[in-house]
Amino acid sequence: MLDTIDLLVENLYSVREPWRGRFLNLVAHLATGNGCDGRAPGREQLADWLWADPRLCREVKLLLDAWPRSGV
């Protein structure tokens, strides 16, 4: 599962702006229920959330799988 999480984090950070920030804010909101303080979560924080919540991990994977590759 660690490889999956590392790949998800890498894929999230490879999305071009402004979408990267939007996706990171969405994941922060889903993980914490209230988003974050306006700063994008770091890679380690993102990986911790994905590791702790398999449902969130699946949702992020589905989101990235649905995102057109031309948008990455």
Side-chain angles (χ1 to χ4, degrees):
M1 182 154 164
L2 187 57
D3 290 339
T4 300
I5 290 171
D6 288 341
L7 184 59
L8 287 176
V9 170
E10 187 60 36
N11 286 341
L12 271 169
Y13 272 90
S14 70
V15 173
R16 291 187 187 135
E17 288 294 358
W19 296 105
R20 178 187 320 130
R22 293 173 183 169
F23 283 143
L24 292 173
N25 285 335
L26 174 62
V27 173
H29 177 76
L30 293 172
T32 66
N34 64 5
C36 56
D37 59 5
R39 294 179 294 168
R43 291 174 187 258
E44 285 186 36
Q45 179 66 66
L46 189 59
D48 288 346
W49 287 335
L50 295 172
W51 180 258
D53 188 346
R55 177 198 53 83
L56 178 64
C57 192
R58 281 190 303 275
E59 288 179 5
V60 170
K61 183 178 181 325
L62 289 171
L63 177 73
L64 288 172
D65 286 348
W67 188 249
R69 292 297 172 210
S70 61
V72 173

